[in-house]
C-alpha cells in the first residue's frame, strides 16, 4: 500500500518534470507563451536542482534499503544532479576554482541544461514513488 511519502514523491516528481518539460516545449514553439516559465531564472534553478537532488538521494536511500536495484541508479543520478546544482552555487559564494561557475556555458545553455536536469529528476522521483514500496 502506498504511503503519504510515496504520493508526495510522485506529485513532486510530476511538478518537477512539468517544470522542465513546459519551457522546453515553449522553446520549440509548442504551447502557449506561459509555458516558458520565465520567472525561473538560472539563479533560482541552480538552487532548485540541488534541492530536488537532495530529495532524490533521500528517496534513493529508501529504495536501496528496500532492496530495490533502481535505487542505485537513482542515487547515481542524484549525486550527478546535486553536483550540477552545487558547483555554480559554490562559485557564487566565491568557493572553489573559477570553472565551478560554469562560465564557459552561456546563460541560455545553462537554462536548457537545468530544464533537462529537471526532466531527469522528475522522472526518477516519479519512479521512486512506486519503487520505494517494492
Amino acid at each position: 500500500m502506498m504511503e503519504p511519502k510515496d504520493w508526495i514523491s510522485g506529485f513532486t516528481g510530476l511538478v518537477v518534470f512539468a517544470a522542465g518539460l513546459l519551457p522546453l516545449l515553449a522553446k520549440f514553439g509548442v504551447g502557449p507563451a506561459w509555458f516558458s516559465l520565465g520567472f525561473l531564472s538560472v539563479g533560482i534553478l541552480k538552487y532548485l536542482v540541488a534541492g530536488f537532488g537532495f530529495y532524490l538521494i533521500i528517496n534513493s536511500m529508501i529504495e536501496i534499503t528496500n532492496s530495490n536495484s533502481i535505487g542505485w541508479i537513482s542515487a547515481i543520478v542524484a549525486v550527478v544532479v546535486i553536483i550540477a546544482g552545487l558547483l555554480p552555487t559554490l562559485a557564487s559564494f566565491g568557493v572553489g576554482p573559477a570553472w565551478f561557475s560554469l562560465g564557459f556555458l552561456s546563460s541560455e545553455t545553462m537554462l536548457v541544461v537545468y530544464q533537462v536536469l529537471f526532466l531527469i529528476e522528475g522522472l526518477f522521483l516519479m519512479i521512486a514513488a512506486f519503487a520505494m514500496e517494492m
Side-chain angles (χ1 to χ4, degrees):
M1 181 147 164
M2 290 184 70
E3 299 175 12
K5 69 175 173 43
D6 304 323
W7 291 103
I8 291 170
S9 177
F11 180 72
T12 303
L14 185 64
V15 170
V16 171
F17 187 82
L21 181 65
L22 293 179
L24 288 176
L25 288 176
K27 214 173 273 306
F28 292 113
V30 178
W34 66 267
F35 271 16
S36 68
L37 301 179
F39 61 90
L40 291 176
S41 67
V42 172
I44 295 171
L45 286 177
K46 65 183 175 187
Y47 294 112
L48 291 175
V49 164
F52 287 124
F54 281 116
Y55 185 55
L56 181 58
I57 197 108
I58 291 168
N59 285 346
S60 303
M61 294 305 136
I62 294 171
E63 293 174 36
I64 291 170
T65 57
N66 288 340
S67 300
N68 194 334
S69 60
I70 191 110
W72 287 106
I73 298 169
S74 292
I76 292 168
V77 168
V79 167
V80 169
V81 165
I82 289 170
I83 290 171
L86 280 182
L87 288 182
T89 302
L90 289 173
S92 68
F93 291 115
V95 177
W99 64 268
F100 273 18
S101 66
L102 304 177
F104 53 89
L105 298 174
S106 70
S107 179
E108 187 66 27
T109 305
M110 283 302 297
L111 198 59
V112 171
V113 167
Y114 285 140
Q115 290 163 351
V116 169
L117 288 175
F118 263 36
L119 284 172
I120 295 168
E121 279 180 312
L123 182 66
F124 276 93
L125 284 170
M126 288 187 286
I127 291 170
F130 300 100
M132 286 190 292
E133 287 300 314
M134 296 174 117

